[in-house]
Amino acid sequence: MNKMLSFASNTMTALTPLDGSDDALLERMRQDDVDAYRTLVERHIDHAYAVAMRILKNPADAEDVTQDAFVKAWLNRHRWDAGRAKFSTWLYRVIVNRCIDKQRLLKTEWLDDVEEPAADITDAVTLIHRQRVYGRLEDALHRLPTQQRVALVLSYYEDMSNIEVADVMGTTVGAVESLLKRGRKRLRELLRRSEGDIRTGFAD
């Protein structure tokens, strides 16, 4: 994400954050207002990167996808039609499509690393246990087919409605419901052996 913020900073003379709706910022971007662009980037970059990361499971690739999406937003600023679609919906659609394209080219599987607990944490055993539980969940999520994983990430991690997910994925609500149903079923199958650990981890 540092490269993205660096790109935004290098294209402007002032760094004053702006208030206003996304549509208002986009309208200012159409007039080549780089301050508005930087504000839009700072407003959405964390969520955009999080979505890319959960789909790709690779920090460098997630950063590249996120940067590409925001660069595309700037390069296409004169085409933006306020009111046509929410900027966040457009952004997620670009992120998702670029992630899918990248995964078609990459065949490598990534596994979770369990972080080491800080030395001053008293209940280190509980922390390690929870990290392993969440690691299993993330690993199981990454083993799903891409379309199912995308639907689950947008629905559960980004708290989007099925209508919003369908809009981002360019499909129907019925198709999204089917993806979510099959994705949940597959997750249960993958996590069955760890069911006891997962219940314990979320019970606390």
Side-chain angles (χ1 to χ4, degrees), residues 102-166:
K102 187 173 284 288
Q103 286 210 313
R104 285 173 180 159
L105 299 176
L106 300 175
K107 302 299 182 183
T108 306
E109 293 185 359
W110 300 287
L111 298 177
D112 280 317
D113 294 324
V114 178
E115 298 178 1
E116 292 295 329
D120 59 347
I121 296 178
T122 56
D123 196 358
V125 174
T126 298
L127 179 62
I128 292 173
H129 172 75
R130 286 186 175 180
Q131 288 172 334
R132 287 175 176 168
V133 169
Y134 294 142
R136 292 190 190 104
L137 285 169
E138 292 289 329
D139 184 49
L141 182 67
H142 194 61
R143 292 175 185 272
L144 296 178
T146 302
Q147 294 290 336
Q148 292 178 20
R149 181 166 67 255
V150 168
L152 287 169
V153 167
L154 295 177
S155 179
Y156 291 98
Y157 290 96
E158 295 304 311
D159 198 27
M160 290 186 182
S161 68
N162 288 355
I163 294 176
E164 291 173 321
V165 175

Side-chain angles (χ1 to χ4, degrees), residues 67-80:
Q67 175 172 320
D68 287 347
F70 281 108
V71 170
K72 184 175 181 179
W74 175 255
L75 295 177
N76 289 276
R77 62 193 181 280
H78 297 135
R79 300 183 191 176
W80 189 261

